[in-house]
Amino acid sequence: MLIPMQRIVLARRPDGAPSEADFRLEDTTLRELGEKEVAVENLYLSLDPYMRGRMDDAKSYAKPVPIGGTMEGGTVGRVIASTSPRFVEGDIVVGQFGWATHGVLPAREVRKAATDYAPPSASLGVLGMPGFTGWYGLKELGRPQKGETLVVAAATGPVGQMVGQLGKALGLYVVGVAGGADKCRFAVETLGFDMCVDHRDYDDAAALRVALAEACPDGIDVYYENVGGMVLEAVIGLMNPFGRMPVCGTIAYYNLGGLGAGDAPGPNMLPRMMRAILVNKLNVHGFIIMDHWDRYGDFLAEVGPMVKDGRIRYQEDVADGLAAAPANFLAMLKGGNFGKTIVRLAGDGA
Ligand SMILES: NC(=O)c1ccc[n+]([C@@H]2O[C@H](COP(=O)([O-])OP(=O)(O)OC[C@H]3O[C@@H](n4cnc5c(N)ncnc54)[C@H](OP(=O)(O)O)[C@@H]3O)[C@@H](O)[C@H]2O)c1
C-alpha cells in the first residue's frame, strides 16, 4: 500500500542569506522498504545551523543537498514497518530521515531514541547531536579545569546550553554570550551561568571586548567557538596563555558560501588571530561531530542521568507542522530561536 507523505525540497540555491523561496513543500508517497530497512512516521524534525551549508554547492565536509532533493535533517520517528530484526513497529527511533513527514532508511543508520532519560524530542537536542557535540567539544578539546574561565556564545542554543551547564558542573566560571536580555536572563537564572553578555548591546567588537573583559576578570581559558564574527574578534585578545578553543561552529560566516568563498566584511582579522595563537600558545581545534559518533554511548551514559534528574536543564523552541520548517530554520540562523529549534510533525510518540 502506498503511504502518502509530504516533504520539503531544496528548490534553488541561496545567494547569500537564504529565503523561504529556496524551499518547496511537495506531496509524494513513501518508497517501498528494502532489506534491513526501517520506515517511520516522523514525530519531530530538528532544525540545525549545519543545514545552511548543505544548501550551497561548495566544498565542505559533507555533500550538498541536490536541487529538488529532500532537505537533510535529523528526526525522531515511530517505526511503522521494519525488515530489520533490530526494530519493531512502535519503536521510537532517531535518524536522518529529512524534512519530511515519513521516511525510510537502512537500519544501520538508525538508533533507538534516548527515551529512558527524557521525552522523544530530547533525542534531537540535549540528548541528541547538538548536546553530544557540546559534551565532546568541551570535554575532549576544551580540557576544562576547575576554577578556569569558560566563554560560550549562542549560549541558549542546544550546544551552548550543554557546554555552559557542563562547565558549571565541572567547577568552572562560565560566561555566556547571547542575543537579547531574555536569553541572557535564562542563561544565568535557569541554566546557572555566572554571567551572560548580550552581544546585541554592542556596536562593534571593541565595545564587546570591554564588556567581556569586565565579565572575565581572570581572562579566558576556554573559548568554545560557536559563532565567529564579532564575538571571536572580541575574545581573541582576552585568551590566557595555553588557552583552548574548540572550533565547533562559525555561524556568522555561513552565508558567505563554502571553503574558498568570499571573506567577511570588515577588518582583516588574520594577523591579530595568528599572533594571539602564537604568543599565547593557544590550542585551536576544529571538529565535526560525525567523526566521533563512537563516543555517543559514553555521552549518553554520563549525561542521560543528569538530564533525567534535572542537573542538566534544557529549553526547546517547538513549531508545529512541516510547512513551518523553512521560516523557523531561517529565524534560527538569525537568533530568532529560544532553545533547540524543533518542528512537531505528529503526536508526542508516547
Ligand atoms: N562541529 C560540529 O559538528 C557541530 C555540531 C552541532 C552544531 N555545531 C555548530 O554549533 C553552533 C551552535 O549550534 P546550535 O545548534 O546550538 O545553534 P543555536 O544556538 O540553536 O542557533 C544558532 C544561534 O547562533 C547565534 N548567532 C547567529 N548569528 C550570530 C552572530 N553573527 N553572532 C553571534 N551569534 C550568532 C544566535 O544566537 P543568539 O541570539 O544568542 O546570538 C542563534 O540562535 C553552530 O555554529 C553550529 O553550526 C557544530
Side-chain angles (χ1 to χ4, degrees), residues 49 133 157-159 178-179 183 199 226-227 248-249 252 254 287 289 333 335 337:
T133 300
V159 175
K183 288 186 180 182
H199 64 85
N226 272 337
V227 300
C248 174
Y254 289 177
F287 73 105
I289 198 60
L333 291 176
N337 59 318

Side-chain angles (χ1 to χ4, degrees), residues 8-322:
I8 290 178
V9 301
L10 181 65
R12 64 177 192 194
R13 301 210 182 277
D15 180 13
S19 73
E20 289 203 46
D22 300 331
F23 305 93
R24 189 173 60 241
L25 180 66
E26 288 186 352
D27 292 310
T28 180
T29 52
L30 188 63
R31 77 164 170 83
E32 297 285 337
L33 273 189
E35 266 182 47
K36 295 189 179 160
E37 287 197 320
V38 179
V40 298
E41 177 189 20
N42 285 323
L43 306 175
Y44 296 96
L45 165 67
S46 176
L47 295 174
D48 298 88
Y50 75 83
M51 295 164 176
R52 173 65 190 87
R54 302 292 196 277
M55 298 174 77
D56 289 328
D57 187 10
K59 187 171 173 347
S60 188
Y61 61 88
K63 283 196 184 134
V65 174
I67 301 292
T70 306
M71 280 296 296
E72 185 177 336
T75 65
V76 174
R78 183 194 294 110
V79 174
I80 54 173
S82 169
T83 51
S84 159
R86 288 180 49 220
F87 298 102
V88 296
E89 229 179 288
D91 281 350
I92 304 297
V93 299
V94 184
Q96 293 292 107
F97 289 99
W99 293 28
T101 57
H102 296 73
V104 173
L105 278 177
R108 66 175 184 282
E109 294 178 21
V110 176
R111 67 174 190 275
K112 293 243 169 82
T115 45
D116 288 348
Y117 302 110
S121 60
S123 287
L124 299 177
V126 66
L127 291 178
M129 184 279 286
F132 174 42
T133 300
W135 173 86
Y136 181 87
L138 180 67
K139 293 195 74 163
E140 293 293 323
L141 308 177
R143 301 196 306 276
Q145 303 295 319
K146 194 172 177 183
E148 287 188 330
T149 295
L150 163 70
V151 171
V152 61
T156 62
V159 175
Q161 290 182 33
M162 179 61 67
V163 169
Q165 290 183 92
L166 281 178
K168 284 311 299 172
L170 292 165
L172 279 80
Y173 174 76
V174 175
V175 176
V177 178
D182 288 348
K183 288 186 180 182
C184 279
R185 200 173 309 112
F186 175 79
V188 174
E189 292 177 5
T190 304
L191 301 178
F193 288 33
D194 295 286
M195 298 271 284
C196 186
V197 174
D198 179 357
H199 64 85
R200 292 200 198 146
D201 278 347
Y202 304 95
D203 291 332
D204 55 34
L208 180 60
R209 180 191 152 117
V210 172
L212 276 168
E214 276 174 22
C216 304
D218 298 329
I220 300 170
D221 301 294
V222 183
Y223 172 54
Y224 188 102
E225 173 63 303
N226 272 337
V227 300
M230 192 170 98
V231 182
L232 172 62
E233 275 185 61
V235 157
I236 191 70
L238 302 174
M239 293 296 294
N240 287 332
F242 301 103
R244 283 84 64 200
M245 197 185 291
V247 181
C248 174
T250 54
I251 194 165
Y253 311 137
Y254 289 177
N255 286 334
L256 297 175
L259 284 180
D263 288 323
N268 177 6
M269 282 269 302
L270 260 185
R272 200 147 32 106
M273 181 87 196
M274 291 308 287
R275 276 197 60 73
I277 292 171
L278 173 66
V279 172
N280 282 325
K281 298 150 278 190
L282 303 182
N283 186 299
V284 180
H285 197 138
F287 73 105
I288 299 295
I289 198 60
M290 60 169 65
D291 296 333
H292 307 286
W293 212 252
D294 58 317
R295 299 293 310 282
Y296 180 77
D298 297 337
F299 158 72
L300 198 58
E302 180 181 326
V303 176
M306 297 173 83
V307 170
K308 189 170 184 171
D309 68 18
R311 278 174 290 159
I312 298 266
R313 305 181 73 172
Y314 63 100
Q315 169 93 3
E316 297 174 338
D317 187 333
V318 184
D320 274 300
L322 185 62

